[in-house]
């Protein structure tokens, strides 16, 4: 899967420890844009926190249990696509995505997520992929729906998002729903 060239400008590759400075800088510059929606960005308060997050996902990748792929636009980190877990007993996974404000509206998340979804269905043999979006996060919900995910319900106050518990829509996509 990685590195993965989506098109002439967009590439995916797992974040490495050497990316911690760049990742932390992107998160710091985009706190107002990211922290209201992400389950993890509010806990990345220092460079050491960014390094620890990257190390955790490097271990998940090594264990075959997920990854955090940076979205690189013309060699600049724009955001990421996260595979939170790969459950091989039930053949399901959960993905998420994040993007710096300067990169919004270019279709990057949709294109990168399509590649990750194809990989999870075709190479990892997943049967189901889930996405959770805060109910008031309209742009994130639009991505899930554009990708063909079906809204399946609401998880009330399911996750802490920096300053509040938020309700999340649960979206699901089955392998049989995904066009090959």
């Amino acid at each position: 899967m990685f590195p993965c060239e989506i098109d002439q400008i967009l590439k995916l590759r797992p974040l490495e420890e050497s990316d911690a400075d760049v990742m932390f800088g992107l998160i710091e510059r985009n706190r107002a844009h990211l922290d209201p929606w992400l389950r993890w960005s509010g806990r990345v308060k220092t460079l050491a926190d960014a390094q620890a997050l990257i190390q955790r996902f490097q271990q998940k990748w090594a264990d075959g249990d997920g990854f955090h792929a940076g979205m690189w636009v013309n060699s600049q980190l724009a955001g990421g696509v996260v595979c939170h877990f790969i459950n091989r007993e039930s053949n399901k996974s959960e993905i998420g995505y994040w993007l710096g404000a300067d990169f919004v509206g270019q279709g990057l998340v949709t294109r990168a997520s399509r590649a990750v979804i194809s990989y999870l269905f075709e190479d990892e043999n997943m049967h189901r992929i889930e996405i959770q979006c805060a109910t008031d996060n309209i742009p994130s919900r639009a991505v899930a729906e554009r990708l063909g995910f079906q809204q399946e319900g609401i998880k009330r106050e399911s996750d802490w998002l920096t300053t509040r518990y938020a309700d999340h829509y649960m979206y699901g996509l089955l392998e049989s729903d995904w066009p090959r």
Side-chain angles (χ1 to χ4, degrees), residues 12-30:
L12 294 178
R13 73 165 168 78
L15 292 168
E16 301 169 355
E17 290 180 52
S18 60
D19 300 320
D21 283 334
V22 174
M23 178 188 172
F24 182 64
L26 183 61
I27 291 168
E28 279 289 289
R29 289 189 306 277
N30 286 276

Side-chain angles (χ1 to χ4, degrees), residues 71 107-115 142-143 146-147:
M71 283 188 278
L108 300 170
V109 169
T110 301
R111 296 194 321 265
S113 295
R114 271 195 190 106
V143 169
R146 192 166 34 255
L147 291 166

Side-chain angles (χ1 to χ4, degrees), residues 1-176:
M1 169 76 198
F2 300 115
C4 176
E5 189 170 313
I6 306 296
D7 54 39
Q8 291 181 338
I9 67 160
L10 178 60
K11 295 173 182 42
L12 294 178
R13 73 165 168 78
L15 292 168
E16 301 169 355
E17 290 180 52
S18 60
D19 300 320
D21 283 334
V22 174
M23 178 188 172
F24 182 64
L26 183 61
I27 291 168
E28 279 289 289
R29 289 189 306 277
N30 286 276
R31 288 267 175 223
H33 175 70
L34 298 174
D35 286 355
W37 311 118
L38 297 179
R39 296 179 274 182
W40 56 269
S41 64
R43 293 187 304 272
V44 178
K45 297 178 193 279
T46 66
L47 178 58
D49 294 337
Q51 291 167 331
L53 179 70
I54 289 171
Q55 289 170 350
R56 184 167 59 89
F57 274 98
Q58 283 179 315
Q59 188 60 55
K60 287 177 92 51
W61 178 245
D63 293 342
D65 187 33
F67 52 85
H68 190 160
M71 283 188 278
W72 300 88
V73 175
N74 296 322
S75 301
Q76 182 180 4
L77 183 64
V81 178
V82 180
C83 175
H84 294 283
F85 64 84
I86 296 175
N87 179 327
R88 297 191 190 284
E89 293 175 7
S90 296
N91 295 323
K92 69 179 181 177
S93 185
E94 179 191 341
I95 66 167
Y97 31 79
W98 64 282
L99 198 60
D102 291 343
F103 298 96
V104 170
Q106 301 174 39
L108 300 170
V109 169
T110 301
R111 296 194 321 265
S113 295
R114 271 195 190 106
V116 166
I117 291 164
S118 290
Y119 166 76
L120 289 170
F121 281 142
E122 295 168 16
D123 296 343
E124 295 291 346
N125 299 310
M126 293 294 103
H127 172 72
R128 174 184 171 82
I129 299 172
E130 299 172 347
I131 293 176
Q132 294 185 61
C133 303
T135 55
D136 51 347
N137 188 344
I138 306 303
S140 187
R141 292 175 46 203
V143 169
E145 292 166 9
R146 192 166 34 255
L147 291 166
F149 282 74
Q150 294 183 27
Q151 190 182 109
E152 298 177 336
I154 295 176
K155 294 171 56 179
R156 297 179 312 128
E157 296 185 8
S158 63
D159 287 293
W160 180 257
L161 302 182
T162 310
T163 61
R164 65 187 173 109
Y165 284 102
D167 294 348
H168 281 77
Y169 281 119
M170 174 60 74
Y171 286 90
L173 181 70
L174 302 180
E175 181 183 19
S176 59

